[in-house]
Amino acid sequence: MKKIPKKLTDSVFANWLFVKLNSWSKISPTYVGSWVSSSYSTSEKKRNYHATVVHYGKSNYTSPKSVQYFQCNYWFGK
């Protein structure tokens, strides 16, 4: 790289850096749906709450990309 003019090497590096940093902007958007559901266990006398988060690939909320489901809280009955 010593024989390449410094001005040229700087612009090549700047272009490479710009392309690398700009590639983040090409990430396609995702659309998120979320809801909380509950169920009651009569044997345990408690209500369980579950959160669901779904990431979709299309704006019409089709083509789920990922689904996350977890228990978020519960209360015990009297």
Side-chain angles (χ1 to χ4, degrees), residues 5-67:
K6 181 166 176 38
K7 190 173 187 177
L8 181 61
T9 59
D10 287 348
S11 66
V12 168
F13 176 72
N15 286 337
W16 174 82
L17 184 61
F18 176 77
V19 168
K20 289 296 181 185
L21 293 175
N22 195 30
S23 65
W24 286 101
S25 68
K26 295 178 182 161
I27 296 173
S28 60
T30 59
Y31 303 90
V32 178
S34 65
W35 56 91
V36 175
S37 58
S38 69
S39 61
Y40 185 77
S41 171
T42 55
S43 61
E44 297 176 317
K45 295 185 180 176
K46 68 177 183 179
R47 180 166 292 280
N48 294 309
Y49 290 87
H50 305 276
T52 305
V53 178
V54 183
H55 293 265
Y56 297 94
K58 297 182 179 179
S59 61
N60 61 358
Y61 294 90
T62 59
S63 306
K65 289 184 162 198
S66 68
V67 177

